[in-house]
Amino acid sequence: AQSVTQLDSHVSVSEGTPVLLRCNYSSSYSPSLFWYVQHPNKGLQLLLKYTSAATLVKGINGFEAEFKKSETSFHLTKPSAHMSDAAEYFCVVSDGGYSSASKIIFGSGTRLSIRP
Amino acid sequence: EAEVAQSPRYKITEKSQAVAFWCDPISGHATLYWYRQILGQGPELLVQFQDESVVDDSQLPKDRFSAERLKGVDSTLKIQPAELGDSAMYLCASSFSGSLFTDTQYFGPGTRLTVL
């Protein structure tokens, strides 16, 4: 069985300061891990994904995440927050592989607010 | 840029009525997903199609929900009868082959259902 836990339901940072959104996962197999962003009234958009290659993954808009197997974590970071980063962020785990029947589990989401 | 289309964007209905949502995936995408996102939660996969075949419908409440993708292109999700607890955002997504290892899921804007 697999699961994903987003440790913070809401994170608030000042513009220009670092962002850290935390995600822990559980998986019986080598997982694939993803971060998605959801802006109000817009569809979910893939930020980045880990699929067993490099453990430090770079995504769009300056975001990156590091896969740490020993800590079962996949935290999302950004060095400097921008007002446009305000959105809901979802960590996602899949039981991996090339199969089209991979199970997909979304976390409950973290709302990121940016203070001017 | 090609997008996943969904209609309607908003639907208000009374309990015990029937509702239907439509999704048109990106052209050439073999895999289509329907998700339900309850307010304040992450999306939950309801059903996944590979072409016209169901790959996973383990979380679909089959007593009232049905989904079809007759020609392996667009898809319809139906609820009959609707219940108050069905109020949620219904998201459609598509990907080229369904392998999250190699592909990306592209999400539509969603249909927000309110059941009164």
Side-chain angles (χ1 to χ4, degrees), chain A:
Chain A
Q2 55 184 357
S3 65
V4 59
T5 302
Q6 292 185 242
L7 299 170
D8 307 293
S9 59
H10 183 214
V11 170
S12 180
V13 301
S14 297
E15 189 175 20
T17 65
V19 175
L20 170 64
L21 305 183
R22 298 182 295 164
C23 172
N24 285 358
Y25 70 91
S26 172
S27 177
S28 303
Y29 305 96
S30 297
S32 296
L33 294 158
F34 311 81
W35 277 97
Y36 282 82
V37 61
Q38 188 175 38
H39 287 96
N41 299 316
K42 290 189 176 181
L44 282 154
Q45 181 184 21
L46 179 68
L47 276 178
L48 50 82
K49 68 177 179 181
Y50 165 79
T51 55
S52 78
T55 56
L56 182 62
V57 182
K58 294 187 184 298
I60 61 173
N61 300 333
F63 284 95
E64 61 182 40
E66 186 172 7
F67 172 71
K68 292 187 176 180
K69 186 175 181 179
S70 60
E71 299 177 9
T72 61
S73 69
F74 190 58
H75 300 336
L76 182 70
T77 59
K78 183 173 181 178
S80 177
H82 192 272
M83 294 300 291
S84 62
D85 295 328
E88 189 87 14
Y89 291 80
F90 293 95
C91 183
V92 180
V93 64
S94 171
D95 57 10
Y98 292 92
S99 168
S100 61
S102 299
K103 288 289 186 183
I104 306 163
I105 305 292
F106 276 73
S108 56
T110 298
R111 182 164 60 91
L112 177 63
S113 299
I114 312 296
R115 301 187 299 270

Side-chain angles (χ1 to χ4, degrees), chain B residues 74-91:
Chain B
D74 58 339
S75 174
T76 301
L77 178 69
K78 297 179 181 177
I79 307 175
Q80 183 174 16
E83 296 181 353
L84 296 177
D86 296 331
S87 294
M89 178 75 84
Y90 290 83
L91 299 168

Side-chain angles (χ1 to χ4, degrees), chain B residues 2-111:
Chain B
E3 296 180 341
V4 176
Q6 290 188 248
S7 67
R9 293 292 307 276
Y10 304 92
K11 179 70 177 179
I12 299 173
T13 190
E14 295 185 344
K15 64 180 182 179
S16 79
Q17 296 298 303
V19 293
F21 314 129
W22 177 79
C23 173
D24 191 13
I26 293 172
S27 178
H29 281 193
T31 310
L32 186 147
Y33 311 80
W34 282 104
Y35 290 86
R36 175 173 60 186
Q37 185 177 17
I38 295 171
L39 190 63
Q41 299 182 19
E44 175 191 27
L45 181 67
L46 292 176
V47 61
Q48 178 182 342
F49 289 93
Q50 189 69 16
D51 299 310
E52 65 275 9
S53 300
V54 173
V55 173
D56 182 359
D57 63 357
S58 57
Q59 300 304 310
L60 188 71
K62 298 181 187 63
D63 57 335
R64 298 184 299 107
F65 286 63
S66 64
E68 61 182 15
R69 194 184 183 198
L70 293 176
K71 297 184 179 179
V73 181
D74 58 339
S75 174
T76 301
L77 178 69
K78 297 179 181 177
I79 307 175
Q80 183 174 16
E83 296 181 353
L84 296 177
D86 296 331
S87 294
M89 178 75 84
Y90 290 83
L91 299 168
C92 180
S94 71
S95 68
F96 181 71
S97 72
S99 167
L100 298 183
F101 232 61
T102 56
D103 290 347
T104 297
Q105 285 188 70
Y106 294 89
F107 284 82
T111 296

